[in-house]
Amino acid sequence: MAAPRRALIVVDVQNDYFDAEGPLAIQYPPRDESLANIVRVLEAAQPAGVPTAVVAHQYPEGFPVFAEGSEGQKVHADVEARAHDGWKRATKSLASVFPETDLEAWLRQTGADTITLVGYMTNNCILGTAADAERLGVDVEVLSDATGAVNLTNAQGSVPAQQVHETLMTLLNSNFAAVADTKTWLQALESGEAIEGSSLPASASASATGA
């Protein structure tokens, strides 16, 4: 497996996800733990020369979450504390980071063939970006302990955040991404190795045989 040329995309690590009373408070993994891992990834990326994009969700003024100019829409202070001039910045209002931004062109400019996704939410922007990247012909890595989900309830049922997150990590690893924890990714970054995911046939076969 050839050494990956990575770019890091930090997705929506914003204050509204950390408001314990808000509707989008990250529930699993614990948000303080996932944030600490995001910081670890950022601190490793810069000296390793990994191009980094920091993306923020934004809606118009007065919107209940991520309203332009609001405190909740701001990128978390722990991320901003690691900011440097080399960061690429972007805002969006859709799940995928690509349609409304110039991040696809940025990736081409950096020469990256692999994107590492950290941030929020597993069940929206991480999932949407990983699936959308397929059409770009780039590989995707998702860090399971540097992302996070919320509890979900709608007409189809109620699912706790842990089940949402763990199910989507399995789904992503079956086709759209190579999923690993932060420790494994840091080791791969140091060694220059790729992280190996599964595939849909392999995942389905393993399930059928009980492996």
Side-chain angles (χ1 to χ4, degrees):
M1 207 178 274
R5 299 188 302 276
R6 290 182 169 93
L8 172 64
I9 302 182
V10 181
V11 184
D12 300 354
V13 186
Q14 295 166 260
N15 291 333
D16 273 335
Y17 283 126
F18 293 84
D19 179 0
E21 304 302 320
L24 294 183
I26 296 298
Q27 300 297 327
Y28 187 86
R31 48 192 173 271
D32 290 342
E33 293 180 15
S34 60
L35 178 62
N37 285 322
I38 291 166
V39 168
R40 290 172 66 199
V41 169
L42 280 168
E43 290 179 340
Q46 184 176 359
V50 177
T52 298
V54 176
V55 184
H57 213 82
Q58 182 174 287
Y59 290 130
E61 291 183 17
F63 209 79
V65 292
F66 305 128
E68 183 176 1
S70 69
E71 190 65 27
Q73 196 271 334
K74 292 180 181 178
V75 172
H76 194 284
D78 286 9
V79 171
E80 288 292 1
R82 276 78 187 173
H84 60 83
D85 291 341
W87 277 8
K88 171 70 176 176
R89 299 271 191 167
T91 58
K92 64 176 180 62
S93 63
L94 300 175
S96 171
V97 304
F98 295 113
E100 302 169 297
T101 72
D102 61 351
L103 287 177
E104 180 178 352
W106 172 76
L107 282 179
R108 306 305 183 199
Q109 291 167 4
T110 65
D113 59 16
T114 302
I115 58 173
T116 301
L117 300 180
V118 299
Y120 311 114
M121 295 180 284
T122 308
N123 46 288
N124 195 46
C125 297
I126 299 299
L127 176 63
T129 299
D132 197 22
E134 185 176 38
R135 67 180 175 83
L136 305 183
V138 297
D139 293 329
V140 180
E141 299 170 336
V142 174
L143 303 194
S144 58
D145 58 356
T147 49
V150 297
N151 303 319
L152 295 175
T153 299
N154 57 41
Q156 298 303 309
S158 184
V159 187
Q162 182 171 355
Q163 184 178 342
V164 171
H165 185 75
E166 291 176 348
T167 298
L168 288 177
M169 288 298 117
T170 303
L171 181 149
L172 287 167
N173 198 54
S174 75
N175 186 38
F176 297 107
V179 177
D181 60 18
T182 298
K183 180 181 179 181
T184 300
W185 185 84
L186 291 172
Q187 292 169 342
L189 181 66
E190 184 175 357
S191 68
E193 296 176 351
I195 294 171
E196 187 173 356
S198 184
S199 69
L200 188 54
S203 296
S205 296
S207 179
T209 60

